[in-house]
Amino acid sequence: MLLNHIKTLPEYRAFLEKNPDEVEALRRDMLIHVTSFFRELDQFEVLKKSVFPTLIQKKSSKTPITVWVPGCATGEEAYSLAIVFQEFLGKKAPLRRIKIFATDIDEGAIRKAREGLYKKDVINHVSPQRLRLFFTKKNNGYQIKRAIRALCEFVAHDVTHNPPLTNADLISCHNLLIYLGQGLQKKALIRMHQALAPHGFLVLGKAEGLGEASKLFHTIDSKQRIYSRKDTGVISAPEDLRNTINAQAGKSRLPALKPFGTTQPEVLQQSYRQHNISKLKEALSLTQEYANEIIDALDIMNKELQSAIEELQASNEELEVRNEEVTRAKDYVEAIVNTVRESLVVLDNNFRVKSANKAFYDTFKVTSEEAKNTLLFDLGNKQWNIPELRVLLKKILPQKGMLNDFIVEHDFKTIGQKTMILNARTLEQGPEKSPLILLVIKDITELQKGEKALRESEERFRMLVESVKDYAIFMIDLKGNIQVWNKGAENLLGYTAAEIIGKNTAQFFTPEDRKAGSFKKELATAIKNGWAESENWRVRKDGSRFWATGVTTAVYDEAGKIVGMSKIVHDITERKRAEELLQAQKEIFQTLNDNATLGLFIMDEKHHCTFMNPAAEKMTGFTFEEVKAANKPLHDIIHHTRPDGSYYPMCECPIDRALPQKSRIPGEDVFIRPDGSFYPVAFMASPILDKGKPIGTVIEVRDTTEEKKAEEERRWLERQKDEFIGIASHELKTPVTSIKAYTQILQHRFQKAGDMKSAGMVGKMDAQIDKLTSLIGDLLDVTKIEGGKLQYHEGLFDFNELIGEIVEEMQRTTAKHTLVQQLAKAKTIAGDRDRIGQVVTNFLSNAIKYSPHADTIIIKTKTNKERVTLCVQDFGCGISKEDQEKVFERFYRIIGSDQKTYPGLGLGLYIAAEIIKRHNGKIWVESEKGKGSTFCFSLPLKQQKL
């Protein structure tokens, strides 16, 4: 009224009469849709305990249980009933037909109910389990699953009119009657009484009651408002009016009246007439009374007849609905039959094909026309003429009425060898019709192949597990008890399968881990998460321990329930020790790195610095963070300018060439500090290779500033020493020569005078002067070598002849040693004969000097096409490895095993090495401490210019 600006009810009534749309709008506003899922849970529990079992007991499995839900609104109550029925039936639900007719006067609500889609706030009262089993998440809400929706049929209907069905087993009407007046409540309850089957059940809301209709129902549970239909009887039709009258008047029948005109006293006749009239009036009154009763009875019968007609009309409507359902069900069944992959064929009692599904035609390569009314055994050129099948259908099936999972193997001409599972049922059609045979054929050929492949795969897997020797693989139950044990487990843990199966895996844990609950925690984690990893000490049968890694994985059955666990254990003791060793080495490396005096750099393939140790930071004056932040090649930070100020390109830097050349490069260079000062360094650049590909460079750097200063000082001292030796040797040579001359004269005079004693003493002095002369000669040679002034006189000479002369001279100097020559065929070589002889003399004098307790010295030569080699072997004190590397250095003298220092300046071998090098030869020594030494040199036969 407010929306239409109407103030009084008469005005609004007139408005309604002229506007049908307003009437519909008013009707919709007056409708009430207060409902929810499982609104009265305790009532549903009573239904499951008391009502549902009674319905199931009274109804055969072939007869559907029918339910009417009047005032269903948007369907929550109807769907709740359907769900509770399914929960009650459980696994038997597919065997029972349930049909729920839900009605409401609001067609919009009916449409929404059919869709079965509800928002999240509507399903708040639905448990998570029901939500998972009976609802599907869709968009922003949930939809009733198709199987539940199929049980419910929603129809628009007024509850005060004829009911939509008869013989209903249950009517559930919640919170509808409270919104109706007393008269409409009674009318609605009468309709529900008419709709219920004998002893059918009525369920009302907690706030509702039967009122004036209580005589129509028995009370089952007053608290839960559950009732059953009461049989009120049928009013019998009245007897024939005449029979009724006679029956009622028979107690005082009127006497027969004589005809008028007979002789009777008039008074008597008058009296008699009055008496008869009185009797007739009384009979007429009685007749009128009975007539009224009959009219009332007829009226009641008429009403009952009208009600019966209305029920018949409702039954017709229900029959039409049922016919539609049957049609839909037939279409549905046909769709299912043609969709299933198993072959289905229906036979008559003579085994002729009545019908078959698409799978049958497709699988066995026959058409519908070929199959229909054809004897099954003649089908497809008699390829179905299978002896086992004949026996099944003709003998076993008639006796048992069904066949379950009978396996038949047959080689069909069109489709080859097949293995099939046959199931058959006889289908009764009624007393006057012969039964049919439903034959279900499942082709399991591929399934058997798959099962065979699976068995083979499982066997291969078992063999694989058994063949694994380094891993313990076993199965445990949820308490940790061992069920399966492989050979690897036996090898690793020491138990045989017979010893350990049934025992608990806790015994493999150390006592301290068992006390800490590590085993139980591992099991709990695997059960919760599906897997668990561990790394700890395990104990073998013999008590020894090993460091193991273990993986526990949950095993589930087809329903997703965890049924056990697999466990894999691997001994990683060696790896653990290696890791601990590596960690110790890392710590050592870190200590060395932190305390190293050498600067260490690592560059990547772009020559950017990726590592600097503290020594490198101290040396360069840059921190690693500063170098890294510069984001440019290391060369451009510490190396980019030469001392003269010119640009130093990276391509010319030897450090940076190590990466592309893939080789270690040593060298010296000059680096730049942050203040611009230069400092000399020595380096070793080593490439880092990954499968032969250079990926970086390691650079070891040493600041050589102090070394350079020390070297410069050493060189200055060497120069001073060389100058002194040169001057001294020249200054000494002249007086020594004079002394030697005077000595020889003096010796000659003593000999002439016969003073042999004095002559002998002077002779010894002359020998010492010779030694002094030799030393002075060595000093002069060194001076000449250092100055590049040592003279060489090249010529051809016989090498063996030179050796023979020198051996002969040196043999005279020693009586204790025998000089043994083992010379190859003579060769003529080119060179300075005297200088090479000087080398041989040095070798022999050293051999005599350093083998005082030996008696043999061997001189050997050998030649080939290109070179001649000489070796002098003694059996004296020998030379250590360390001394062998220094023996050809200037002023180096060997110290004997008894710390004895042999005489000499340590220049002979240095001079010999320089002479051999000048002749393009090679010089070396082979020696073992305490067993003697072998000094060798080799010269080319074709000498180049000296």
Side-chain angles (χ1 to χ4, degrees):
M1 292 173 64
L2 181 65
L3 294 174
N4 292 289
H5 307 288
I6 298 173
K7 296 181 179 180
T8 65
L9 288 174
E11 289 177 343
Y12 187 59
R13 178 178 179 179
F15 181 76
L16 289 174
E17 291 174 350
K18 296 178 181 179
N19 295 277
D21 292 342
E22 181 66 16
V23 175
E24 178 61 24
L26 179 62
R27 185 186 70 84
R28 286 198 303 268
D29 288 344
M30 293 179 69
L31 294 176
I32 297 171
H33 297 147
V34 179
T35 185
S36 65
F37 283 101
F38 305 103
R39 181 160 42 183
E40 296 175 3
L41 292 174
D42 52 347
Q43 193 179 71
F44 280 115
E45 292 302 318
V46 174
L47 288 176
K48 287 197 288 186
K49 291 179 180 179
S50 303
V51 176
F52 291 174
T54 302
L55 295 179
I56 296 298
Q57 186 178 4
K58 290 183 178 181
K59 288 277 187 176
S60 69
S61 59
K62 296 180 180 179
T63 305
I65 296 172
T66 56
V67 181
W68 179 24
V69 182
C72 68
T74 49
E76 288 91 329
E77 183 181 350
Y79 287 134
S80 297
L81 268 173
I83 290 171
V84 172
F85 258 115
Q86 294 299 298
E87 291 175 338
F88 171 75
L89 293 171
K91 294 182 179 180
K92 296 180 180 179
L95 304 177
R96 281 286 180 176
R97 293 175 57 197
I98 308 294
K99 197 63 185 177
I100 298 175
F101 291 91
T103 64
D104 197 275
I105 197 170
D106 186 356
E107 293 185 356
I110 289 296
R111 286 194 296 272
K112 186 172 182 181
R114 287 171 181 160
E115 187 179 10
L117 183 62
Y118 301 95
K119 295 181 179 179
K120 291 182 180 179
D121 57 346
V122 177
I123 50 95
N124 284 337
H125 297 295
V126 180
S127 67
Q129 182 180 5
R130 283 174 171 165
L131 199 64
R132 185 178 68 255
L133 294 175
F134 303 108
F135 291 78
T136 302
K137 194 170 184 180
K138 188 173 183 181
N139 299 330
N140 294 323
Y142 289 86
Q143 187 176 33
I144 299 289
K145 287 189 176 181
R146 184 184 297 276
I148 301 300
R149 297 205 309 273
L151 301 178
C152 301
E153 184 169 344
F154 295 92
V155 181
H157 175 263
D158 186 346
V159 72
T160 61
H161 292 176
N162 293 329
L165 75 167
T166 58
N167 290 321
D169 298 297
L170 172 66
I171 296 176
S172 177
C173 179
H174 283 73
N175 294 350
L176 170 64
L177 299 178
I178 59 175
Y179 297 107
L180 301 179
Q182 197 171 26
L184 288 176
Q185 281 187 10
K186 182 177 181 181
K187 191 172 183 180
L189 286 168
I190 290 173
R191 297 302 185 199
M192 295 178 196
H193 183 270
Q194 293 171 353
L196 279 173
H199 308 295
F201 293 94
L202 172 67
V203 182
L204 300 179
K206 293 291 185 66
E208 296 171 323
L210 296 175
E212 296 181 3
S214 59
K215 296 180 180 180
L216 301 176
F217 299 93
H218 295 289
T219 300
I220 303 298
D221 190 326
S222 59
K223 182 180 178 180
Q224 301 300 334
R225 299 292 194 272
I226 300 175
Y227 309 95
S228 66
R229 184 183 187 275
K230 183 187 292 184
D231 188 1
T232 57
V234 179
I235 300 176
S236 301
E239 297 179 1
D240 182 78
L241 178 61
R242 184 174 182 178
N243 293 335
T244 302
I245 294 172
N246 289 337
Q248 295 296 326
K251 296 178 182 179
S252 58
R253 295 183 179 272
L254 295 176
L257 298 178
K258 294 182 178 181
F260 287 102
T262 58
T263 304
Q264 287 185 359
E266 187 171 338
V267 176
L268 182 59
Q269 290 182 356
Q270 182 70 29
S271 174
Y272 192 72
R273 281 198 298 271
Q274 289 296 327
H275 175 77
N276 283 341
I277 291 170
S278 176
K279 288 291 185 180
L280 285 172
K281 285 182 178 181
E282 185 180 350
L284 183 61
S285 175
L286 184 62
T287 302
Q288 183 66 42
E289 184 179 343
Y290 279 101
N292 289 336
E293 290 181 6
I294 291 169
I295 291 170
D296 291 339
L298 287 174
D299 184 54
I300 293 171
M301 290 178 64
N302 183 52
K303 290 180 180 179
E304 291 286 345
L305 182 60
Q306 182 64 32
S307 177
I309 292 171
E310 290 176 357
E311 287 186 10
L312 183 60
Q313 289 174 345
S315 298
N316 288 336
E317 292 174 2
E318 183 182 356
L319 183 59
E320 291 177 1
V321 172
R322 293 289 177 87
N323 287 336
E324 291 176 1
E325 287 183 352
V326 170
T327 302
R328 287 198 299 270
K330 182 181 178 182
D331 295 340
Y332 182 67
V333 170
E334 287 182 355
I336 292 175
V337 167
N338 286 318
T339 302
V340 294
R341 290 178 292 180
E342 285 78 10
S343 298
L344 305 178
V345 59
V346 178
L347 309 174
D348 62 16
N349 62 337
N350 294 318
F351 310 112
R352 294 186 179 275
V353 177
K354 296 288 290 182
S355 64
N357 68 343
K358 186 174 183 297
F360 179 83
Y361 298 131
D362 292 344
T363 302
F364 299 104
K365 309 302 180 186
V366 294
T367 64
S368 174
E369 292 76 14
E370 293 173 335
K372 198 164 186 179
N373 295 322
T374 301
L375 189 65
L376 176 66
F377 308 119
D378 294 338
L379 197 60
N381 294 323
K382 296 188 178 182
Q383 63 180 354
W384 279 94
N385 191 14
I386 306 170
E388 296 94 328
L389 183 59
R390 280 183 175 274
V391 173
L392 284 173
L393 296 180
K394 289 186 176 182
K395 293 184 179 181
I396 300 177
L397 183 61
Q399 295 174 1
K400 296 185 177 181
M402 64 176 63
L403 293 172
N404 290 323
D405 299 336
F406 196 89
I407 297 177
V408 173
E409 292 186 358
H410 186 65
D411 189 2
F412 291 89
K413 295 179 181 178
T414 56
I415 58 175
Q417 183 71 31
K418 292 291 180 181
T419 303
M420 301 169 292
I421 292 181
L422 302 183
N423 287 275
R425 298 286 187 278
T426 55
L427 304 176
E428 299 294 338
Q429 298 191 89
E432 298 180 358
K433 292 185 178 181
S434 300
L436 299 176
I437 300 171
L438 173 62
L439 183 62
V440 182
I441 306 164
K442 184 175 181 180
D443 183 358
I444 61 168
T445 307
E446 296 303 321
L447 179 62
Q448 280 197 330
K449 291 180 180 178
E451 289 177 347
K452 181 181 178 182
L454 179 61
R455 288 193 299 272
E456 292 174 351
S457 176
E458 289 176 345
E459 178 62 18
R460 287 195 298 270
F461 179 74
R462 186 193 64 78
M463 293 175 65
L464 175 64
V465 169
E466 285 298 321
S467 67
V468 175
K469 306 302 182 186
D470 297 332
Y471 288 81
I473 303 175
F474 50 96
M475 299 288 295
I476 60 176
D477 62 19
L478 298 183
K479 294 182 179 179
N481 297 319
I482 298 168
Q483 297 174 322
V484 179
W485 188 256
N486 82 326
K487 191 68 176 178
E490 181 178 335
N491 295 338
L492 181 61
L493 292 157
Y495 297 92
T496 65
E499 291 174 323
I500 201 64
I501 287 179
K503 304 291 180 61
N504 198 277
T505 54
Q507 66 189 74
F508 305 144
F509 285 72
T510 62
E512 50 269 30
D513 281 347
R514 290 201 298 271
K515 186 176 181 180
S518 300
F519 167 67
K520 293 181 179 179
K521 291 176 183 176
E522 184 178 305
L523 273 184
T525 301
I527 292 172
K528 179 181 178 182
N529 300 331
W531 65 279
E533 288 183 330
S534 62
E535 192 171 305
N536 47 24
W537 289 106
R538 300 295 173 92
V539 182
R540 295 186 178 91
K541 179 182 178 181
D542 61 8
S544 63
R545 296 188 177 193
F546 63 98
W547 189 261
T549 177
V551 178
T552 305
T553 306
V555 178
Y556 300 89
D557 62 13
E558 294 179 355
K561 181 182 177 182
I562 184 170
V563 293
M565 284 170 276
S566 67
K567 200 166 179 63
I568 301 176
V569 178
H570 182 48
D571 182 357
I572 59 168
T573 307
E574 294 303 319
R575 192 183 82 184
K576 178 70 174 177
R577 289 172 180 166
E579 288 175 352
E580 291 174 349
L581 178 61
L582 179 61
Q583 182 61 34
Q585 291 174 342
K586 285 182 178 178
E587 293 174 359
I588 293 171
F589 171 77
Q590 189 62 43
T591 302
L592 293 174
N593 178 56
D594 293 341
N595 297 281
T597 57
L598 284 178
L600 293 177
F601 302 84
I602 297 178
M603 297 190 304
D604 61 17
E605 65 272 15
K606 295 180 180 179
H607 302 275
H608 288 218
C609 183
T610 59
F611 172 80
M612 287 175 66
N613 71 341
E617 292 181 327
K618 182 178 179 181
M619 182 188 304
T620 62
F622 293 96
T623 65
F624 175 61
E625 287 72 18
E626 292 172 337
V627 172
K628 189 175 181 181
N631 194 27
K632 56 184 178 180
L634 183 62
H635 176 87
D636 294 344
I637 299 173
I638 63 173
H639 218 205
H640 52 83
T641 306
R642 292 188 175 94
D644 61 4
S646 61
Y647 173 67
Y648 188 10
M650 188 169 69
C651 61
E652 297 179 9
C653 175
I655 292 177
D656 294 278
R657 286 201 299 270
L659 185 66
Q661 291 181 5
K662 303 181 185 179
S663 60
R664 300 184 71 192
I665 297 180
E668 295 184 350
D669 214 322
V670 178
F671 284 1
I672 307 168
R673 291 190 177 93
D675 61 4
S677 61
F678 294 89
Y679 58 99
V681 296
F683 67 84
M684 174 65 75
S686 305
I688 303 172
L689 304 178
D690 181 13
K691 297 180 181 179
K693 179 183 177 182
I695 60 172
T697 309
V698 177
I699 310 162
E700 305 168 41
V701 180
R702 186 176 77 254
D703 185 346
T704 59
T705 302
E706 297 302 322
E707 293 179 19
K708 292 292 182 183
K709 290 179 181 179
E711 180 65 21
E712 189 62 32
E713 291 178 2
R714 188 188 65 79
R715 288 178 182 175
W716 182 83
L717 290 173
E718 285 289 338
R719 287 194 299 271
Q720 294 296 317
K721 183 184 69 174
D722 290 343
E723 289 177 6
F724 169 77
I725 291 172
I727 294 171
S729 59
H730 277 287
E731 294 296 327
L732 288 171
K733 189 173 184 181
T734 300
V736 168
T737 302
S738 299
I739 291 172
K740 182 173 179 60
Y742 288 127
T743 302
Q744 289 175 345
I745 293 171
L746 184 60
Q747 185 181 20
H748 181 69
R749 286 182 178 181
F750 280 132
Q751 288 176 346
K752 191 175 180 181
D755 189 354
M756 299 308 295
K757 184 177 180 180
S758 297
M761 293 178 65
V762 172
K764 292 179 179 179
M765 184 175 69
D766 185 53
Q768 294 299 319
I769 292 172
D770 287 340
K771 290 182 179 180
L772 180 61
T773 302
S774 176
L775 292 174
I776 293 171
D778 287 346
L779 289 172
L780 285 172
D781 285 344
V782 169
T783 303
K784 291 175 183 178
I785 289 171
E786 294 294 330
K789 298 177 181 180
L790 186 64
Q791 298 294 318
Y792 292 91
H793 303 283
E794 185 179 1
L796 298 173
F797 63 92
D798 187 305
F799 188 66
N800 283 4
E801 183 182 322
L802 172 64
I803 300 302
E805 291 176 2
I806 296 172
V807 168
E808 185 179 350
E809 291 178 4
M810 295 304 295
Q811 184 66 71
R812 293 193 190 103
T813 64
T814 177
K816 187 175 182 181
H817 296 85
T818 301
L819 305 185
V820 179
Q821 299 183 59
Q822 298 177 358
L823 306 181
K825 187 177 180 181
K827 289 285 185 179
T828 300
I829 64 172
D832 189 326
R833 191 176 190 276
D834 293 337
R835 293 295 181 187
I836 293 173
Q838 183 180 345
V839 174
V840 176
T841 300
N842 179 267
F843 278 12
L844 288 172
S845 63
N846 284 340
I848 293 169
K849 183 195 304 184
Y850 290 104
S851 59
H853 304 296
D855 55 9
T856 303
I857 296 173
I858 300 173
I859 302 95
K860 295 183 288 186
T861 64
K862 60 180 179 179
T863 61
N864 55 31
K865 293 181 180 180
E866 297 179 352
R867 306 184 76 84
V868 60
T869 301
L870 176 137
C871 292
V872 175
Q873 180 180 8
D874 67 57
F875 300 94
C877 61
I879 306 170
S880 67
K881 271 286 186 186
E882 296 78 9
D883 288 336
Q884 289 178 35
E885 297 175 358
K886 303 173 183 178
V887 74
F888 296 105
E889 294 179 3
R890 190 170 51 165
F891 301 116
Y892 187 82
R893 293 191 298 169
I894 297 173
I895 299 175
S897 58
D898 55 357
Q899 300 298 314
K900 177 182 178 182
T901 302
Y902 293 92
L905 293 176
L907 293 175
L909 287 175
Y910 169 71
I911 295 170
E914 292 299 319
I915 291 171
I916 295 301
K917 290 177 183 177
R918 187 67 179 269
H919 283 77
N920 300 314
K922 297 178 181 179
I923 189 168
W924 68 93
V925 62
E926 297 173 357
S927 180
E928 186 176 348
K929 194 73 173 174
K931 293 186 179 181
S933 304
T934 301
F935 281 85
C936 303
F937 68 82
S938 67
L939 296 170
L941 293 176
K942 295 181 180 180
Q943 190 60 257
Q944 297 179 356
K945 186 176 181 181
L946 300 177

